[in-house]
């Protein structure tokens, strides 16, 4: 048995060591578990975080505000963000960039580029000849692309989140407008990459708002579908979304709430910014009229004055939403001339009359795309800051025909909260309640290809074909596979947008190129030469529309199959042994699985009936990876009507669920074997039916991007390095400013302290003069040479001054601590003495403390009294200007030593069991003999596990929380039941609580 114990101890130690390592790893990981979301609006952004202990919280910026302006000021040696940049817009409007998101993914000939130049003529835009995009030319040395500027903003948002969370953050979910196309979404991803963020998802802002609404109203969602319309008018655009909430059955978690985007309508330029620009134009006209005849310049030619007018227009729009009129006033608008004018709400509504007429447009678009009527909409909810304009609400209410508009959602923060909930759901560090999100494709995507067909014998012609990959309002994320069956040589196909007829002519011009990518395949002919005896199953192209709505071509494969016959005699000994071992360890495959000799990547593809083999066609196969309800599968997208574009024998098939066909593959492939093969009798076990062998050959792919070329890797690396250098420069600048501020503050505070009585009491006139002279010299140096001083020089100067004043500050601090420390020491000495006196009064028969223990406590008490008296006497002899001998740390050390002795005795009293007394002839217990030694009584002490002499005086209550403690009293209620066991016939000993 002893041997077994010795063997088990190392195992226990190893187990505890492993547990300790795991806990340490978890604690280390807990410092980096936070995730964030950025609701990137045109005018302002909201940042939210989730971290352990902080669920879904909006981040406050440096000004303690919940939303931050999306403005960047770029100067030669410094950058400003948020409110600081907004204030710099008046001083340096050319270097202050705002609303730059409108240029993301836009080429130079896009109408939005011309519109941006018309709105903000102070900015100089240059053109990139390689990508045909625009850059901001701040100066001859400073040039930034819109992606780089957005990367700066995202990096700034991360710094705000990290300061708020007090830990580093890498993972983020970023909101984008629902109308962003592929080029614009890729531009946002590139900006996030420049900022060093790991984007978990680009979520549409309308989807994030709908998710936030559903998460906080989970209990109101049931199996009955509820159709809610969200009308979001922000600063730059307007989006109307129809969302259906319903409880659905999921494969993983049973019944869960789901939101499905049913319809979307939008207006890219309808928003609060356009209203403010019209107000600014009105104010500029009024100012020019006031100065007419004074040969004054047009205020529109002064960028600073126009920046002031835009800020005043923003304020005026907000005030007129609650008041019938307001006085616009700007001090020193231009040439030191003040501006003051009265503007009424009626005038404002007349200025924006055509804008208000466009308010119902997104509603009609959303209803058409959802194929619904207004009667099916239960509620219309307002989102976005511009919906606070009364005229917008009036026109919208009339358009939807409801009694009232819903305002039961935070119009500013809903998208940020929904996005951070999605971030927590996508992160592996958090577990949230499932909420199924089924977003919708706004712009359909199709595949186009041309092939040669033989209409008549000897007559060949080219036929153009189109296949819809992702239909409009179809759900995503999802994967699809398209199979080309009539190609045996290298060919090309094109990925383009589908029918965009729902967009107006102006929107189509803003949309940009409708051609996405040309795919050039290389190696198709070589694959056929490599497997001449195999039957071709087509060229399969795997497409993925991911969670961010970004399309990618994962891979292209050439698939071949043939029938092979295997006999047991042909298997080698090693093969048999390997199969046996695999089956023993659960690694064997079923016969059906063996027949499906496909690589793991092919499991993503479902292979339904391939159609007529004599006339093979192209097939579109779909696998959805998003969590979808069991009863609601995706329907095949109908091919766009293109006349006779669909050849005979071709058909499109769609895969409803990712795992639906896996169970059908074996049976299908078994049926595809040679006909007439009957089951082998028992006597012919060596015969095996023919099985299919599939071979997959990777095909080379060359992509030619047609809409907007991505930034080359070397250019992207340069942009990343440029932003990192700017960030490092900002950090160094902040560190230097912090050092300079600390030095300046120390000089002024110390100069003021030299005249305070408590400092004069502990210093001589010569000491104060020396310190004052050094401080004055440092102040002069800071004013004259501090501008060019480095951070190291400033810190060294501060350390020199602190060392000079260290003795003075130490004497003052010690004198401040004396009264409190001495009072605490006196109290502890008095209580310890009373405790010792009471312990000595305990009768010998009930004594639980040994003489050695009480003598030790008495010695510590006496030594502490003696030290205190001697030190106070010695301190009284010293002048106040000398270093004191009575130190607060020495007082604390004496208190700890005394407290340790008392606590040891207290814990011993708590856990000591009373000794049983023998019964006399009358049935009563006899008192212990008077000559019982204290050591005998001490043997009855049963100390608790792990108890030592340094146990804290405050012990946790039984059954209480770890933080709840109460002082332990000797002989308190815990001792009373034991006292009652003594015989009533004997004289009761003195209870401990009566000491």
């Amino acid at each position: 048995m002893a041997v077994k114990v010795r063997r088990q101890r190392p195992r226990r130690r190893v187990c505890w060591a492993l547990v300790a390592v795991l806990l340490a790893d978890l604690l280390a990981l807990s410092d980096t578990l936070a995730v964030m979301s950025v609701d990137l609006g045109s005018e302002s952004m909201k940042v939210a975080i989730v971290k352990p202990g902080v669920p879904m919280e909006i981040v406050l910026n440096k000004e303690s505000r919940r939303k931050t302006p999306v403005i960047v000021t770029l100067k030669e040696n410094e950058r400003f963000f948020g409110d600081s940049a907004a204030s710099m817009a008046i001083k340096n409007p050319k270097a202050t960039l705002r609303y730059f998101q409108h240029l993301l993914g836009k080429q130079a000939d896009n109408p939005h580029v011309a519109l941006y130049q018309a709105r903000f003529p102070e900015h100089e835009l240059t053109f990139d000849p390689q990508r045909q995009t625009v850059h901001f030319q701040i100066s001859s040395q400073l040039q930034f692309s819109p992606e780089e500027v957005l990367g700066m903003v995202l990096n700034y948002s991360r710094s705000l989140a990290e300061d708020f969370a007090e830990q580093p953050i890498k993972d983020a979910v970023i909101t984008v407008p629902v109308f962003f196309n592929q080029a614009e979404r890729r531009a946002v991803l590139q900006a996030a990459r420049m900022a060093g963020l790991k984007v978990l998802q680009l979520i549409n802002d309308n989807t994030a708002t709908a998710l936030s609404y559903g998460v906080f109203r989970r209990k109101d969602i049931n199996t009955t579908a509820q159709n809610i319309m969200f009308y979001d008018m922000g600063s730059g655009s307007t989006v109307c979304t129809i969302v259906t909430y319903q409880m659905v059955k999921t494969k993983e978690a049973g019944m869960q709430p789901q939101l499905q985007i049913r319809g979307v309508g939008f207006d890219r330029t309808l928003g609060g910014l356009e209203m403010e620009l019209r107000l600014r134009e009105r104010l500029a006209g009024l100012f020019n009229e006031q100065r007419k005849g004074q040969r004054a310049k047009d205020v529109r030619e002064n960028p600073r004055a126009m920046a002031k007018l835009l800020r005043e227009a923003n304020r005026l729009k907000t005030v007129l939403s609650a008041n019938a009129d307001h006085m616009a006033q700007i001090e020193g608008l231009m040439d030191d001339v003040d501006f003051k004018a009265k503007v009424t709400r009626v005038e404002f509504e007349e200025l924006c009359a055509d804008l208000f007429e466009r308010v119902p447009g997104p509603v009609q678009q959303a209803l058409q795309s959802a194929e619904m009527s207004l009667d099916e909409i239960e509620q219309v909810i307002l989102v976005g800051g511009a919906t606070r304009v009364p005229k917008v609400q009036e026109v919208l209410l009339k358009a939807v025909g409801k009694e009232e508009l819903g305002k039961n959602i935070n119009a500013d923060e809903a998208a940020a909260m929904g996005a951070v909930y999605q971030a927590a759901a996508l992160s592996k560090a958090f577990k949230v309640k499932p909420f199924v999100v089924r977003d919708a494709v706004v712009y359909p995507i199709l595949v186009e290809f041309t092939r040669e067909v033989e209409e008549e014998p000897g007559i060949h012609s080219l036929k153009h074909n189109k296949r819809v990959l992702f239909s409009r309002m179809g759900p995503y994320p999802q994967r699809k596979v398209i199979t080309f069956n009539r190609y045996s040589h290298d060919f090309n196909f094109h990925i383009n947008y589908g029918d965009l007829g729902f967009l107006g002519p102006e929107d189509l011009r803003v949309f940009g190129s409708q051609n996405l990518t040309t795919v050039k395949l290389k190696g198709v002919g070589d694959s056929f030469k490599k497997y001449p005896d195999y039957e071709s199953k087509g060229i399969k192209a795997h497409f993925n529309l991911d969670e961010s709505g970004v399309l990618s071509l994962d891979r292209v494969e050439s698939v071949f199959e043939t029938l092979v016959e295997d006999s047991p005699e042909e298997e080698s000994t090693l093969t048999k042994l390997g199969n046996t071992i695999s089956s023993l360890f659960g690694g064997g495959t079923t016969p059906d699985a063996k027949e499906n000799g496909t690589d793991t990547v092919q499991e993503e593809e479902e292979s339904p009936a391939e159609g007529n083999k004599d006339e093979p066609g192209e097939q579109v196969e779909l696998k959805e990876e998003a969590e979808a309800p069991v009863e609601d599968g995706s329907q095949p997208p109908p091919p766009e009507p293109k006349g006779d574009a669909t050849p005979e024998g071709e058909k499109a098939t769609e895969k409803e669920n990712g795992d639906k066909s896996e169970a059908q593959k074996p049976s299908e492939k078994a049926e595809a074997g040679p006909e007439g093969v009957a089951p082998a009798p028992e006597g012919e076990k060596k015969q095996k039916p023919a099985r299919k062998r599939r071979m997959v050959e990777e095909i080379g792919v060359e992509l030619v991007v047609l809409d907007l070329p991505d930034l080359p890797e070397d250019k992207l690396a340069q942009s990343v390095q440029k932003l990192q250098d700017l960030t490092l420069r900002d950090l160094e600048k902040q560190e230097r400013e912090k050092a300079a501020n600390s030095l300046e503050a120390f000089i002024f505070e110390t100069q003021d302290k030299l005249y305070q009585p408590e400092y004069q009491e502990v210093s001589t006139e010569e000491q104060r003069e020396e310190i004052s002279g050094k401080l004055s010299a440092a102040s002069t140096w800071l004013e004259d040479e501090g501008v060019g001083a480095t951070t190291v020089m400033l810190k060294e100067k501060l350390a020199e001054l602190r060392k000079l004043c260290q003795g003075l500050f130490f004497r003052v601090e010690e004198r401040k601590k004396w009264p409190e420390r001495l009072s605490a020491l006196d109290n502890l000495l008095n209580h310890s003495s009373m405790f010792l006196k009471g312990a000595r009064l305990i009768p010998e028969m009930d004594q639980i403390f040994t003489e050695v223990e009480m003598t030790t406590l008495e010695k510590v008490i006496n030594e502490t009294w003696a030290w205190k008296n001697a030190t106070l006497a010695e301190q009284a002899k010293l002048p106040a200007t000398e270093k004191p001998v009575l130190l607060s740390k020495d007082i604390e050390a004496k208190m700890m030593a005394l407290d340790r002795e008392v606590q040891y005795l207290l814990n011993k009293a708590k856990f000591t069991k009373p000794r049983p007394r023998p019964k006399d002839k009358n049935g009563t217990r006899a008192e212990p003999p008077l000559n019982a030694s204290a050591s005998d009584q001490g043997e009855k002490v049963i100390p608790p596990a792990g108890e030592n002499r340094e146990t804290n005086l405050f012990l946790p209550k039984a059954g209480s929380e770890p933080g709840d403690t109460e002082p332990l009293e000797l002989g308190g209620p815990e001792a009373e039941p034991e006292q009652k066991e003594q015989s009533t016939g004997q004289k009761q000993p003195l209870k401990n609580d009566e000491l």
Side-chain angles (χ1 to χ4, degrees):
M1 181 62 68
V3 174
K4 291 183 180 180
V5 171
R6 283 196 295 269
R7 289 178 179 176
Q8 290 176 357
R9 283 176 181 172
R11 295 177 182 175
R12 293 177 180 176
R13 291 171 184 171
V14 171
C15 292
W16 282 112
L18 290 175
V19 171
V21 171
L22 290 175
L23 289 176
D25 292 341
L26 290 175
L27 291 175
L29 289 174
S30 65
D31 294 336
T32 58
L33 293 181
V35 294
M36 63 178 288
S37 70
V38 184
D39 178 21
L40 200 61
S42 297
E43 184 179 39
S44 61
M45 66 177 178
K46 278 74 64 180
V47 182
I49 65 164
V50 170
K51 74 169 187 175
V54 180
M56 299 176 63
E57 181 66 27
I58 294 292
V59 172
L60 302 182
N61 60 17
K62 297 179 180 179
E63 290 77 19
S64 298
R65 297 182 180 177
R66 299 175 71 86
K67 66 179 180 179
T68 304
V70 183
I71 305 177
V72 184
T73 299
L74 301 170
K75 301 175 70 175
E76 293 292 341
N77 298 320
E78 55 186 345
R79 296 184 301 174
F80 297 94
F81 296 94
D83 294 293
S84 300
S87 61
M88 291 295 296
I90 307 299
K91 302 177 183 179
N92 195 347
K94 181 180 180 180
T96 302
L97 308 179
R98 60 176 74 186
Y99 300 103
F100 48 84
Q101 305 97 307
H102 298 173
L103 301 178
L104 289 172
K106 305 289 193 305
Q107 293 186 331
D109 58 351
N110 195 291
H112 262 199
V113 176
L115 178 63
Y116 188 88
Q117 286 184 310
R119 288 174 169 179
F120 307 102
E122 63 271 15
H123 296 314
E124 180 183 354
L125 297 180
T126 59
F127 304 103
D128 181 2
Q130 183 177 0
R131 302 178 66 217
Q132 298 298 316
T133 55
V134 295
H135 289 79
F136 292 101
Q137 191 72 38
I138 309 299
S139 66
S140 59
Q141 302 296 328
L142 294 180
Q143 178 178 313
F144 299 97
S145 66
E147 290 85 354
E148 291 174 339
V149 180
L150 179 58
M152 298 179 195
V153 173
L154 292 177
N155 190 38
Y156 177 70
S157 68
R158 182 179 65 176
S159 67
L160 294 178
E162 289 178 343
D163 292 343
F164 192 83
E166 298 178 344
Q167 60 180 272
I169 299 178
K170 288 288 185 182
D171 299 341
V173 169
I174 304 174
T175 68
V176 294
V178 65
F179 50 77
F180 264 23
N181 57 27
Q182 294 293 311
E184 292 167 313
R185 292 175 186 270
R186 294 200 307 269
V188 176
L189 290 176
Q190 285 185 339
R193 185 175 172 185
M194 294 176 187
L197 282 176
K198 178 185 176 183
V199 179
L200 300 177
Q201 180 182 349
L202 293 182
I203 187 172
N204 295 330
D205 47 14
N206 61 335
T207 305
T209 301
L211 178 59
S212 175
Y213 181 85
V215 164
F216 290 104
R217 292 164 179 80
R218 179 184 292 265
K219 296 181 180 179
D220 300 334
I221 302 175
N222 49 44
T223 54
T224 304
Q226 306 175 35
N227 300 320
I228 307 294
M229 176 182 288
F230 294 93
Y231 192 87
D232 181 4
M233 180 181 288
S235 177
S237 60
T238 300
V239 176
C240 181
T241 310
I242 298 176
V243 184
T244 298
Y245 294 95
Q246 189 177 10
M247 295 292 293
V248 297
K249 185 178 181 180
T250 61
K251 291 178 290 185
E252 292 82 5
M255 297 296 292
Q256 295 297 336
Q258 171 190 273
L259 72 86
Q260 181 177 3
I261 305 297
R262 300 289 301 279
V264 175
F266 56 86
D267 191 326
R268 279 180 176 260
T269 58
L270 177 61
L273 173 61
E274 186 63 30
M275 301 178 191
E276 295 169 12
L277 291 173
R278 298 194 179 191
L279 265 179
R280 182 183 70 170
E281 188 66 22
R282 172 64 174 169
L283 296 178
L286 292 176
F287 182 74
N288 287 336
E289 290 180 4
Q290 293 178 4
R291 303 188 66 197
K292 186 179 296 184
Q294 301 179 11
R295 297 181 180 180
K297 293 176 59 176
D298 189 349
V299 69
R300 298 180 182 87
E301 299 177 2
N302 191 318
R304 291 187 178 182
M306 293 301 287
K308 293 179 182 179
L309 287 174
L310 183 60
R311 183 177 63 180
E312 182 64 14
N314 180 282
R315 188 185 70 86
L316 199 60
K317 183 197 70 173
T318 304
V319 175
L320 289 178
S321 298
N323 299 274
D325 55 64
H326 188 66
M327 187 67 68
Q329 48 188 355
I330 303 175
E331 184 177 352
L333 176 57
M334 189 176 70
D335 299 334
D336 295 330
V337 177
D338 298 340
F339 170 64
K340 191 174 183 180
K342 184 178 181 180
V343 181
T344 64
R345 184 190 293 178
V346 175
E347 292 180 89
F348 170 63
E349 293 175 353
E350 291 176 355
L351 289 173
C352 305
D354 60 320
L355 299 180
F356 297 139
E357 293 176 358
R358 291 159 55 184
V359 168
V363 176
Q364 300 301 325
Q365 294 179 23
L367 291 173
Q368 291 175 5
S369 61
E371 299 180 353
M372 299 173 66
S373 64
L374 282 171
D375 296 335
E376 301 176 64
I377 306 299
E378 298 184 10
Q379 191 178 11
V380 179
I381 298 177
L382 297 179
V383 187
T387 56
R388 297 186 177 97
V389 177
K391 190 65 175 179
V392 172
Q393 298 183 15
E394 177 186 340
V395 176
L396 180 61
L397 186 62
K398 183 178 179 181
V400 299
K402 302 294 181 181
E403 295 183 359
E404 61 179 359
L405 300 174
K407 302 176 183 178
N408 52 350
I409 192 173
N410 191 321
D412 291 326
E413 301 176 359
M417 298 299 280
V420 80
Y421 186 90
Q422 184 71 357
L426 295 175
S427 173
K428 298 179 180 179
F430 301 95
K431 184 177 181 181
V432 300
K433 292 183 178 180
F435 204 110
V436 183
V437 178
R438 302 193 70 190
D439 214 329
V441 177
V442 177
Y443 305 120
I445 298 176
L446 52 81
V447 171
E448 299 185 31
F449 54 94
T450 303
R451 70 163 182 267
E452 187 178 289
V453 296
E454 185 177 359
E455 297 179 352
E456 297 180 5
I459 301 177
H460 297 270
S461 63
L462 296 178
K463 189 168 186 179
H464 190 71
N465 298 274
K466 294 184 179 181
R467 294 291 178 271
V468 176
L469 273 181
F470 303 99
S471 60
R472 174 165 162 78
M473 303 314 298
Y476 78 89
Q478 61 178 335
R479 297 176 182 268
K480 285 192 177 181
V481 180
I482 185 169
T483 304
F484 302 93
N485 285 324
R486 294 187 177 182
Y487 289 96
S488 59
H489 54 81
D490 295 353
F491 65 98
N492 304 337
F493 63 89
H494 309 278
I495 307 172
N496 302 322
Y497 288 106
D499 182 14
L500 301 180
F502 58 92
L503 297 178
E506 183 64 26
D507 288 334
L508 280 176
R509 288 194 293 271
V510 173
F511 186 84
S513 174
Q514 299 185 32
N515 300 320
L516 286 171
T517 308
T518 295
V519 182
K520 299 180 179 180
L521 302 183
K522 298 181 180 180
V524 177
D526 295 340
S527 66
F528 277 81
K529 294 178 182 178
K530 188 175 181 180
Y531 303 101
D533 299 331
Y534 283 65
E535 177 187 1
S536 173
K537 290 300 179 179
I539 311 300
K540 297 183 180 295
H542 297 254
F543 297 90
N544 178 25
L545 191 64
D546 62 14
E547 294 84 354
S548 300
V550 178
L551 177 66
S552 62
L553 176 61
D554 288 346
R555 64 190 181 279
V556 179
E557 300 167 337
S558 183
V559 182
F560 300 89
E561 284 186 359
T562 187
L563 294 175
V564 295
E565 295 183 1
D566 290 337
S567 60
E569 289 79 359
E570 295 176 358
E571 293 183 355
S572 64
T573 305
L574 291 177
T575 303
K576 294 179 180 180
L577 181 61
N579 292 337
T580 304
I581 295 176
S582 298
S583 62
L584 288 176
F585 288 93
T589 56
T590 62
D592 292 335
K594 288 183 179 180
E595 290 181 2
N596 185 17
T598 311
D599 294 344
T600 56
V601 294
Q602 288 296 321
E603 293 178 1
E604 298 177 355
E605 175 187 351
E606 182 179 9
S607 297
E610 295 281 342
N612 191 349
K613 291 186 179 180
D614 297 333
E615 297 179 1
E618 277 68 38
Q619 295 181 351
V620 179
E621 303 161 359
L622 164 68
K623 174 181 177 181
E624 292 189 20
E625 291 189 348
E627 182 178 6
V630 173
E631 67 270 18
D632 186 13
S634 302
Q635 298 299 324
E640 298 184 0
K642 297 291 180 181
D644 59 349
T646 304
E648 183 180 358
E650 295 181 356
K651 63 179 181 179
T653 61
E654 186 172 308
K655 183 175 180 182
E656 294 185 355
N657 294 299
D659 60 346
K660 186 175 179 180
S661 69
E662 297 300 325
Q664 299 175 357
K665 282 185 178 181
S667 61
E668 292 175 359
K669 295 188 176 182
E671 294 173 2
E675 296 181 1
V677 178
E682 295 182 1
E684 300 179 1
K685 291 184 179 180
K686 294 183 179 181
Q687 297 293 332
K688 282 192 174 182
R691 64 179 178 86
K692 286 184 179 181
R693 175 182 295 173
R694 169 173 288 194
M695 305 301 294
V696 178
E697 186 74 13
E698 193 82 14
I699 301 299
V701 176
E702 180 185 350
L703 300 179
V704 180
V705 180
L706 303 177
D707 56 346
L708 180 66
D710 289 336
L711 201 63
E713 285 298 324
D714 57 339
K715 297 290 185 182
L716 182 60
Q718 293 177 8
S719 297
V720 171
Q721 188 62 43
K722 183 194 297 187
L723 265 61
Q724 289 178 351
D725 293 341
L726 291 174
T727 302
L728 183 61
R729 187 192 67 183
D730 291 345
L731 293 176
E732 292 176 352
K733 179 175 176 289
Q734 294 173 7
E735 188 69 18
R736 187 198 171 281
E737 290 177 350
K738 183 179 179 181
N741 293 335
S742 299
L743 176 59
E744 186 177 10
F746 182 83
I747 292 173
F748 287 123
E749 291 176 1
T750 307
Q751 286 177 339
D752 181 63
K753 289 177 180 178
L754 292 179
Y755 297 95
Q756 296 178 7
E758 56 185 357
Y759 287 86
Q760 291 182 346
E761 181 183 356
V762 298
S763 61
T764 63
E765 186 67 27
E766 292 78 8
Q767 292 174 341
R768 291 195 297 271
E769 288 180 358
E770 180 186 2
I771 295 175
S772 179
K774 294 285 186 179
L775 294 174
S776 300
S779 179
T780 304
W781 175 84
L782 187 60
E783 293 176 0
D784 298 340
E785 305 177 15
V787 177
T790 63
T791 305
V792 176
M793 296 171 61
L794 293 170
K795 290 183 176 181
E796 289 177 351
K797 183 67 68 173
L798 179 59
E800 178 184 346
L801 294 178
R802 283 178 172 170
K803 183 177 181 181
L804 177 65
C805 304
Q806 182 178 3
L808 174 62
F809 292 162
F810 178 75
R811 295 192 293 272
V812 174
E813 289 299 320
E814 285 297 319
R815 288 182 173 271
K816 288 181 179 179
K817 295 177 181 178
W818 284 350
E820 181 184 356
R821 298 292 193 278
L822 291 174
S823 176
L825 180 60
D826 290 340
N827 289 335
L828 183 59
L829 285 169
N830 292 333
H831 286 87
S832 301
S833 300
M834 294 176 61
F835 171 79
L836 179 61
K837 182 179 179 181
R840 291 191 179 278
L841 293 177
I842 297 176
E844 189 174 359
M845 67 185 71
D846 294 324
Q847 184 60 262
I848 60 176
F849 303 124
T850 65
E851 185 62 30
V852 175
E853 293 170 341
M854 289 187 290
T855 303
T856 301
L857 177 60
E858 183 179 11
K859 180 181 178 182
V860 174
I861 293 174
N862 295 334
E863 290 178 351
T864 306
W865 276 113
W867 175 86
K868 175 195 169 188
N869 296 332
T871 307
L872 286 177
E874 185 179 357
Q875 179 63 43
K877 297 177 183 179
L878 288 177
T881 58
E882 297 292 334
K883 181 180 179 179
V885 295
L886 180 61
L887 303 179
S888 58
K889 64 177 183 179
D890 294 340
I891 300 176
E892 293 173 356
K894 293 293 182 181
M895 293 175 61
M896 290 179 61
L898 179 58
D899 186 57
R900 183 165 55 249
E901 294 296 332
V902 175
Q903 288 177 37
Y904 172 74
L905 299 181
L906 287 174
N907 287 322
K908 182 178 180 180
K910 178 178 181 180
F911 296 103
T912 298
K913 293 184 178 181
R915 291 173 297 177
R917 300 182 181 180
K919 295 183 179 181
D920 57 7
K921 295 181 180 180
N922 297 329
T924 60
R925 294 183 182 271
E927 294 185 0
L930 297 177
N931 58 353
S933 64
S935 60
D936 295 337
Q937 299 181 25
E939 294 176 356
K940 300 298 182 178
V941 178
I942 304 177
E947 190 62 51
N948 55 40
R949 295 169 62 91
E950 298 183 3
T951 306
N952 193 290
L953 180 62
F954 292 91
L955 299 175
K957 299 180 183 179
S960 65
E961 296 296 328
D964 299 336
T965 58
E966 64 173 352
L968 175 65
E969 295 181 0
L970 186 62
E974 298 180 359
E976 292 180 3
E978 297 177 355
Q979 294 291 338
K980 292 180 181 179
E981 293 180 2
Q982 299 181 6
S983 173
T984 57
Q986 299 289 336
K987 181 179 179 181
Q988 297 291 339
L990 188 63
K991 291 184 180 180
N992 291 336
D993 56 2
E994 296 176 359
L995 293 179

